[in-house]
Amino acid sequence: MREKIILKEVMFVVRLSLFPVWGWPVSKDAKFKIFCVKMYQTLCIIISMCHEIPLIYGALNNLNKPIILVQQLLLASGCIHVIFDFIFYRLNYHHLQDVTFKMTDYFDLKLKSTEEVIIKKYIDKCLIFYGFCMFMFYLITIVSLVAPSVLEQDFPTLAEYPFNVSNQPLKMIIYVHQCISGLITAGQLCTNNYMALLLWFTSARFEMLTEELRSSTDIHQLFKCIKTHQELLKYAAKVALIVRPFAFTTICCSTFCIIIVLLLLITRHPVVQLIQFFGLVLICLSEVFMFTWPAEYLMYKSNATAQAAFDAFQCNQSIKMWNCLQIIVMRSQKPIRIRIACLMPTLCFNYFTTQLSYTYRGLIVPVLTPFNNDGSLNLDIIPQYATYLANKGIKGILVNGTSGEGMSMSIAERKLITEAWVKAVLLKETKQHLMIQVGGASLPDVIELAKHAASLRVDSILCLPELYFKPTTPEQLIEYLQIIGNAAPKTPLLYYHIPMFTNVNIHMGQFLESIGDKIPSFVGIKFTSANLEEGAQALRANNRKYTIFLGNDQLINAASALGIDSFILTSINMFPELILDLLTACKNGDTLRARDMQEKLSNIVVIITKHGNWVQTMKKAMVLLTDIDAGLPRAPLKSISSEAITIMTRDLTNLGYQPKIKHY
């Protein structure tokens, strides 16, 4: 019972913090109270506007006084924030009534023990931060109101008026007006706590549903979960609709304040004043954090029901159960996001950090998976393999791709090979960029591989499309990749476009233009195709937002001319110097040399691959030209014949290479 009491106390404190603005909705039946609330909030808007005008007037009069100008602009921004919040509050009042009273009604019911534990966890998570923010909003306001009695200033703010304000009772009226405006601003800033409460409550409901789904044992419980999930999705969508304008104004005003303060910080002013403004930057960031933290949490929790359904898939053989679980999975493919099209991207830490942090460009080598003669993994050679590539100047590695025969291995084997490369690359001195291909399996297995790779802190993951129920539209492909992205939300995700194997012929330019911010961790594609026109459109998509890795060894020169600067090429394994020199020639504009080197590489690729499948011939070339013995290809592939090896050896020798002569 203590958890319920604490929760009611939390709601009471939030409600109390909104008292200066009458921000907590009243019952729909209280018509007169609703009328009074609307009239009072209209009065608050007028009070804020009357404070905004002298602040702008003062700013115009102090353009040559940076400190005073910044203070007035910050206060003016706060008033604008308040005015817009009141407007959005009025527009969404009926929705606020609905979601708020559903929240309070829910906790008037008797909660299960598991639900009480979840609620307690959320309270413990949020109490200190949001309580501190609420306290600081009112503390700063109160300090500002009493400042005139200590400092040599007439009013709490630096607002200026085009008339004499030193005479009574006008001076007292202005002082009281600014005090009231300050309290209104503090109360309106606490609306952030109110919005966060709605978001956290919705996240908690999704987590409760996830636990209920995992414990479901019969079809009737699943039907109940489906109904609850449908109602919860509607509730969450309404909460998102309410929250997003408040989040948008908070982000806009906070960003404006941060920019002007940072501009001031680069000028020469007393350190004490600069420290004061730096504190304001922290307050602005905390305002944004008040929305972003629960918004990101809601996005992941609303999608977690899909993972719970996937887990249940593996435990239930009933067709009816499968059909019910599939309903939840399909509905969960679009998590609840706080966003405004064309104005505000998905409110999510991972969106910003991933896009900013994924800066890798250049070469990535798709490594060959070494097997012993009995078909088992040869993990012992991987440290030598990594060192060999590092010594050749290769800074990126792709594991379990097509050349790595990822689709020919079990999930356990793919995990083992990933872990071996992590130990050799990330935990040792080579420190190369490590990309793991996780696709080419059933969706639950792909999710498992993505989570495994993310847990090892690899640099990025690459994913094939669904290979049986193939996507035929960009939207279907996006929905599939959303699931993978949500499984590893903090790891950059790339799509593996190789239509000659997958037969998924979705146009990559259209696909990348369609993504928007639907997959926060999505950063680019591996484009394994000869259609450079499509590749160029993909490169230009969304203002060149995405990284395009070309996966065609014979089109490096042409792709470089189009502006593609990153490549994933199997031939790097055997010919790293040639490819590095080719890229240098392309970068330096040495077209004749680049053309000759590209022609040489293309001839080499033809000489090698004319004897069989890409993987089996490249593996044999690796053995002939390096000290890395990747072994035989995994069944159903077979090693090429002795005659083919002899011809390959002769042709490579004629091109100036020195293959190792072995008896086969």
Side-chain angles (χ1 to χ4, degrees), residues 185 264 274 334 388 451 459 463 570 602:
T185 301
L264 182 66
L274 296 180
K334 294 183 178 180
Y388 157 76
K451 289 184 175 181
D459 297 294
C463 187
T570 305
S602 298

Side-chain angles (χ1 to χ4, degrees), residues 9 91 405 409 416 444 470 474 527 591 630 660:
E9 290 174 354
L91 293 175
E405 301 175 81
M409 291 187 283
L416 286 173
K470 304 178 190 295
F527 185 79
T591 55
K660 298 175 183 178

